[in-house]
Amino acid sequence: MAADAVRGGSRLRDRADFRWFWTAATISDFGTYVTGLAIQVLVVVTLHEGAAGVGVVNAARWLPYLALGLVVGVLVDRVRRRPLLVATDLARGALLIAVPVLAVTGGLTIAVLAGFLVVFGLLSVVNDAATQSLLPRLVPVRLLTRANARLDQSDAVAQSGGPALAGGVVALLTAPWAVLVDAVSYLLSGLLLLRVHVVEPPSARLSLRGVGREAREGLRWIYRHRTLRPYALGTHAWFLCFAVVNVVVPPFALRTLHLGAVGLGIALAAGGVGALLGALAAPGLGARWGAGRVVIAGHAGTAVAVALLALSWGPGAGWLVFGVGELALGLAMGSANANEMAYKQSITPDRLQGRSNAIMRSTNRAMIVVGAPLGGLLADAIGFRVVLWGTVAGFVLVAAGLATTPYRSARLADAA
């Protein structure tokens, strides 16, 4: 671990470099939630496309994760990570500025937008791998859970307030110009990251030589490790189930429960509140019970939360059950995420951080690509509730499976 990871105060709040890093992440989180809605409105309203158009731009956004994730992980491990974060944030900001300009001049089409999002996705996969890999260089092992929890808390607040902010910005500025909000957020994030000081090994010369060998080394590290292998396999299965939930819940809420767009927005905001509460509790839970047990309990909690969603019915109390389910879902995920990320970061050697992060993210995104359309087809064929109960069974199997492996005893102390 780099020397700078042990420099600074004994408390997270005393570490100025992490504060700049956290502030940059918080600003870009809010901008991302604005663009998430703005792009959807842009496709449907401005470009007059239907569901197929939305599917095209969504697929374009995730395609680089699937195609280049492993190679990107190898390259991230060869270079200094902070300059990579600065460059990719500034590049994403500049790229997004072009969207409203093209919309105003009549040059924006679905194909052009998809092309932009492929480039945006490539920059994002690099940024994501570098972000998770830089954190262990900023804080010592004992503070990793708290650091990840702080990042989760910011994301949870953005999740709660971001959609409402996005709706107002889109209504006020129209969708193309609302994308500028995210562009500015990335530019600000990149500039703030310039304030982060961290000692990093010098960059190696970028080359494709040895990429296959180093990629295999990263794969062996994850899938042959005593605790990381069951964690990785369980996480992939969890993402597959959760991708199905994400596809089924909106039409289930709108068509079966007749919740309405406003009601669904409130319920999703409750999920953000739950995520914030879970992230606040995550460090204490991990310190007392260990990361492995907290993650397993979080997966079991996900099963309970989705069961509440499946049990929801019409207006009144049924809507309340749905909202409580969303709250519980956020709580389960918020408490687990900081602990699982901190443990993986703490046990992985610095030279393998980029590869391990990129491998996990790329495979998890592949699960989304498979699970989302599969969930939609099944829901149309056999019903929303049946599919939701199927995912409940899946989450239970993931939690029970992990509980039988060495991962149940995983603690940050293992790597301290």
Side-chain angles (χ1 to χ4, degrees), residues 68-81 84 125-126 129-130 133 137 203-219 350-359 362:
L68 299 170
L70 189 54
V71 174
V72 165
V74 172
L75 298 180
V76 166
D77 280 334
R78 293 180 177 182
V79 301
R80 291 186 297 138
R81 293 160 189 169
L84 206 56
V125 71
V126 174
S133 305
R137 291 180 175 178
S203 298
R205 187 173 65 179
L206 284 180
S207 164
L208 293 180
R209 291 187 60 184
V211 167
R213 175 181 53 80
E214 292 180 36
R216 289 192 295 272
E217 183 184 12
L219 289 167
D350 182 76
R351 65 183 181 84
L352 291 173
Q353 288 284 348
R355 277 167 280 178
S356 68
N357 290 324
I359 288 167
S362 296

Side-chain angles (χ1 to χ4, degrees), residues 71-393:
V71 174
V72 165
V74 172
L75 298 180
V76 166
D77 280 334
R78 293 180 177 182
V79 301
R80 291 186 297 138
R81 293 160 189 169
R82 194 210 65 154
L84 206 56
L85 289 177
V86 174
T88 51
D89 268 351
L90 294 178
R92 286 190 292 182
L95 187 68
L96 289 177
I97 289 174
V99 173
V101 173
L102 286 172
V104 169
T105 59
L108 190 65
T109 65
I110 195 69
V112 170
L113 182 60
F116 268 101
L117 288 178
V118 168
V119 179
F120 183 87
L122 176 59
L123 293 169
S124 294
V125 71
V126 174
N127 188 276
D128 287 345
T131 295
Q132 293 184 358
S133 305
L134 181 66
L135 189 59
R137 291 180 175 178
L138 288 175
V139 300
V141 168
R142 60 186 171 77
L143 292 179
L144 271 175
T145 304
R146 292 189 178 278
N148 278 287
R150 291 291 183 275
L151 295 170
D152 285 350
Q153 289 158 20
S154 298
D155 185 71
V157 172
Q159 180 184 345
S160 299
L165 173 64
V169 172
V170 170
L172 181 65
L173 301 178
T174 72
W177 292 106
V179 175
L180 274 182
V181 173
D182 199 15
V184 172
S185 76
Y186 281 121
L187 295 174
L188 286 175
S189 176
L191 294 175
L192 288 172
L193 286 168
L194 290 172
R195 302 294 300 271
V196 174
H197 299 287
V198 56
V199 176
E200 299 191 86
S203 298
R205 187 173 65 179
L206 284 180
S207 164
L208 293 180
R209 291 187 60 184
V211 167
R213 175 181 53 80
E214 292 180 36
R216 289 192 295 272
E217 183 184 12
L219 289 167
R220 285 194 298 269
W221 169 254
I222 292 176
Y223 294 108
R224 291 185 180 179
H225 194 277
R226 180 172 176 268
T227 55
L228 289 184
R229 177 176 57 192
Y231 157 74
L233 295 176
T235 301
H236 301 334
W238 186 94
F239 266 87
L240 180 65
C241 294
F242 194 68
V244 175
V245 171
N246 271 343
V247 169
V248 173
V249 163
F252 173 65
L254 296 172
R255 297 177 184 174
T256 302
L257 304 184
H258 304 289
L259 199 58
V262 173
L264 179 58
I266 293 172
L268 294 178
V273 172
L276 176 59
L277 295 175
L280 288 170
L285 293 173
R288 180 168 183 177
W289 302 107
R293 288 185 173 88
V294 175
V295 171
I296 292 168
H299 291 344
T302 302
V304 173
V306 177
L308 288 172
L309 299 180
L311 288 169
S312 304
W313 62 96
W319 288 351
L320 180 61
V321 172
F322 185 86
V324 171
E326 284 289 342
L327 180 70
L329 187 61
L331 187 63
M333 293 169 59
S335 60
N337 188 66
N339 282 286
E340 62 180 301
M341 289 302 304
Y343 179 74
K344 181 170 70 68
Q345 290 166 338
S346 69
I347 205 170
T348 301
D350 182 76
R351 65 183 181 84
L352 291 173
Q353 288 284 348
R355 277 167 280 178
S356 68
N357 290 324
I359 288 167
M360 288 294 297
R361 277 186 171 267
S362 296
T363 309
N364 291 340
R365 268 52 184 183
M367 295 299 103
I368 295 175
V369 170
V370 172
L374 177 63
L377 290 172
L378 286 174
D380 287 339
I382 62 178
F384 299 132
R385 291 188 196 273
V386 176
V387 174
L388 286 175
W389 282 115
T391 63
V392 170

Side-chain angles (χ1 to χ4, degrees), residues 27-88:
I27 291 172
S28 64
D29 282 345
F30 270 94
T32 298
Y33 279 101
V34 172
T35 290
L37 177 63
I39 290 294
Q40 308 300 322
V41 176
L42 179 63
V43 170
V44 176
V45 176
T46 305
L47 300 180
H48 307 290
E49 296 284 344
V54 175
V56 167
V57 297
N58 285 344
R61 170 69 175 82
W62 296 114
L63 181 62
Y65 283 84
L66 306 183
L68 299 170
L70 189 54
V71 174
V72 165
V74 172
L75 298 180
V76 166
D77 280 334
R78 293 180 177 182
V79 301
R80 291 186 297 138
R81 293 160 189 169
R82 194 210 65 154
L84 206 56
L85 289 177
V86 174
T88 51

